[in-house]
Amino acid sequence: ETTSTAELLACSSNAKIPDGFVSIPKTVEFPSPLGTSYGYYYPPTNPTASSEEAAPPLLVKVHGGPTACTSASFNPGIQFFTSRGFAVLDVDYGGSTGYGREYRRRLRGKWGIVDIDDVCAGAEYLVKQGLADPKRLAIDGGSAGGYTTLGALAFRDVFTAGCSLFGVADCSALAADTHKFESRYLDGLIGKWPEEKALYEERAPINSVDTLSCPILLLQGDEDKIVPPNQAEMMHAALLKKKIPTALKMYKGEQHGFRKAENIEDALNSELYFYSKVFGFTCYDKDNEIKPFTVDNLEE
């Protein structure tokens, strides 16, 4: 019998994570309007803390693309929340790659419908399984995932809070103002622009502020060329006008996807702080890393 060993030659990170703090994802399949949809469920994991609550708060994460996919590889942004008492569902909604051609084609002409149906179905499935508290269902996503986040909050009544990172609020504005490489991308996801402008208007969260009722945090880079800052600014103004709890944080020098370590850290801390204000819990902040900010329209 022979044995072999592997020698670590190099590592991209020198971060040390104490034993017991890493949440191991479990693949989940759940019923959705078009059949079965998929995701990864991460249970809350922290060996130094416990809770007698029947079910934890849930954060549903929506990948960008939208025709991309998530994976079970190590994601510090997910572990940040699971180590602080949240369960996380990372959804591969219809249209995601990795599940065959027909699954990927579900999103053709249906962006803003299929993806929203699936993230809502995933959250409701975990509630039925006793794995999530129905009164504390949050959702977040960046770019296309931010669009699905805003759409789920505007067109459905499942989630109780959300965070959009450089997300699309106005589909027509995106089609008219985005960069050249993706200038016709939405033709296959929504409809031909501008001939089918009515579809763009119908699926734009900014046009359905009247149906919004839960708190929303908006995180945006001021140099974003793909989803311009005016998208977040328009949504923020509309939320303020309707007296919905909201906050907008504009990160100077950031583009589409935050790259500066201090801003990535602040975005995570800000999202956690926002949920703490909305859900009524106290953030554990031993090293005073969380910077409190005002949530407009929120009654203390």
Side-chain angles (χ1 to χ4, degrees):
E1 182 178 351
T2 59
T3 59
S4 61
T5 58
E7 179 184 357
L8 179 64
L9 299 179
C11 182
S12 61
S13 173
N14 58 3
K16 302 294 184 182
I17 301 175
D19 292 340
F21 280 89
V22 176
S23 180
I24 305 300
K26 302 174 183 177
T27 56
V28 292
E29 300 181 8
F30 52 89
S32 60
L34 292 182
T36 300
S37 295
Y38 307 91
Y40 297 96
Y41 172 74
Y42 295 77
T45 304
N46 188 320
T48 68
S50 62
S51 173
E52 296 181 356
E53 296 175 337
L58 174 71
L59 175 59
V60 173
K61 299 193 76 67
V62 193
H63 68 70
T67 53
C69 63
T70 187
S71 74
S73 59
F74 181 76
N75 184 335
I78 289 178
Q79 302 297 329
F80 175 86
F81 283 100
T82 57
S83 64
R84 287 159 175 81
F86 278 76
V88 172
L89 176 65
D90 203 2
V91 180
D92 267 335
Y93 49 82
S96 302
T97 59
Y99 300 89
R101 181 180 299 175
E102 291 307 312
Y103 193 78
R104 180 169 52 81
R105 286 181 171 175
R106 285 185 184 183
L107 210 58
R108 283 190 172 183
K110 299 295 183 181
W111 190 37
I113 298 175
V114 169
D115 48 320
I116 293 173
D117 284 342
D118 285 3
V119 295
C120 291
E124 292 173 328
Y125 172 79
L126 292 182
V127 168
K128 290 179 181 178
Q129 299 299 310
L131 297 174
D133 181 353
K135 295 182 179 180
R136 296 181 294 171
L137 299 178
I139 181 171
D140 79 7
S143 189
Y147 167 70
T148 302
T149 293
L150 293 173
L153 297 172
F155 304 127
R156 301 289 190 277
D157 190 24
V158 173
F159 297 98
T160 51
C163 175
S164 170
L165 299 93
F166 38 91
V168 179
D170 186 335
C171 303
S172 296
L174 179 66
D177 195 31
T178 193
H179 61 127
K180 184 178 180 180
F181 181 70
E182 288 188 347
S183 61
R184 310 307 305 184
Y185 187 30
L186 300 185
D187 285 21
L189 293 170
I190 298 177
K192 194 169 183 180
W193 173 264
E195 291 84 346
E196 296 182 88
K197 183 178 179 180
L199 279 177
Y200 286 72
E201 297 295 320
E202 179 183 319
R203 297 186 198 171
I206 191 69
N207 295 331
S208 294
V209 176
D210 287 345
T211 61
L212 285 167
S213 60
C214 67
I216 301 176
L217 174 64
L218 303 164
L219 305 177
Q220 176 73 39
D222 71 345
E223 295 182 4
D224 195 332
K225 303 299 183 185
I226 298 176
V227 179
N230 69 324
Q231 296 260 324
E233 291 167 342
M234 288 189 299
M235 178 58 77
H236 183 241
L239 292 167
L240 286 175
K241 185 176 180 180
K242 201 191 173 188
K243 305 298 183 183
I244 293 175
T246 185
L248 168 62
K249 298 195 76 171
M250 192 71 68
Y251 290 94
K252 186 175 178 59
E254 289 288 8
Q255 301 179 21
H256 195 64
F258 304 149
R259 290 163 175 78
K260 298 178 182 179
E262 62 270 25
N263 291 337
I264 294 172
E265 182 178 351
D266 184 76
L268 284 168
N269 283 327
S270 295
E271 187 174 355
L272 178 65
Y273 177 77
F274 182 76
Y275 296 146
S276 77
K277 303 300 287 184
V278 173
F279 294 150
F281 64 83
T282 301
C283 294
Y284 176 74
D285 189 22
K286 178 183 177 182
D287 299 319
N288 296 316
E289 295 176 339
I290 296 177
K291 301 173 184 176
F293 56 90
T294 300
V295 179
D296 295 309
N297 300 327
L298 182 67
E299 295 181 4
E300 296 290 344

